[in-house]
Amino acid sequence: MGQVHFEPDGVTRELQAFSDASRELLNRIARRQGLGTTDVTALYLLSAGPMGVAELSERLGIRTASTTVLVDRLAAAGHLRREPHPTDRRRTLVVLEERARLANEAHWWPAIGLLDEVSRSLDEGEREVVLAFLQRATAAMTRGAMED
């Protein structure tokens, strides 16, 4: 399939710039922590709660074997631990250590706090429009990521 070239509109360019800024933030956080970006992404994902290796692998977009190596490395460094699943004895959950959660928040929250200030500065009408747009944009990106 050949490449299709088009000139994105201003809103799309700003979304691309936002995505680029997010990627740069991830790179900076990884450098500050002395970790790879996939490691930092895993810690961020686990800050929402424990998950199994297969789910973490799917969310990271890497093979399960690679995720197992990542989990081993981060566990050895004290960032996370494995725990038995509470209802399925065959499964193991990957759990973020409290110390790592606090460090993770210290790195992410300054930027997220600034973003939240921007969000809170919107009036109710602007907020509804922006929220609806972002939901549709996220759905479009998700669909785009699933296409071959």
Side-chain angles (χ1 to χ4, degrees):
M1 177 194 277
Q3 282 190 329
V4 175
H5 180 75
F6 69 96
E7 186 61 32
D9 78 358
V11 174
T12 302
R13 281 194 301 277
E14 286 304 316
L15 281 174
Q16 290 173 313
F18 180 82
S19 178
D20 292 344
S22 296
R23 194 172 19 263
E24 181 55 32
L25 176 61
L26 174 63
N27 289 332
R28 285 186 192 145
I29 290 171
R31 283 192 300 272
R32 287 182 201 144
Q33 290 185 300
L35 297 170
T37 56
T38 305
D39 295 358
V40 171
T41 302
L43 296 176
Y44 180 82
L45 291 171
L46 290 165
S47 69
M51 64 182 76
V53 171
E55 181 184 357
L56 183 59
S57 178
E58 183 177 320
R59 298 284 307 274
L60 291 171
I62 62 177
R63 293 183 355 245
T64 304
S66 299
T67 304
T68 298
V69 170
L70 177 145
V71 168
D72 290 344
R73 182 176 62 250
L74 292 175
H79 296 291
L80 49 85
R81 67 183 182 280
R82 287 182 173 91
E83 289 184 356
H85 191 281
T87 60
D88 186 345
R89 294 183 323 156
R90 299 167 295 172
R91 295 188 54 215
T92 301
L93 293 176
V94 180
V95 180
L96 190 64
E97 291 287 359
E98 181 65 11
R99 173 181 68 82
R101 186 188 63 74
L102 293 172
N104 197 39
E105 286 178 2
H107 289 289
W108 285 102
W109 283 110
I112 291 172
L114 291 170
L115 191 58
D116 191 61
E117 285 179 27
V118 172
S119 175
R120 290 175 189 274
S121 73
L122 300 172
D123 67 40
E124 194 57 40
E126 291 171 322
R127 184 182 215 62
E128 288 177 19
V129 170
V130 170
L131 186 57
F133 171 77
L134 289 173
Q135 289 168 341
R136 289 173 32 211
T138 299
M141 289 295 285
T142 301
R143 279 193 318 272
M146 294 189 177
E147 291 181 6
D148 289 340

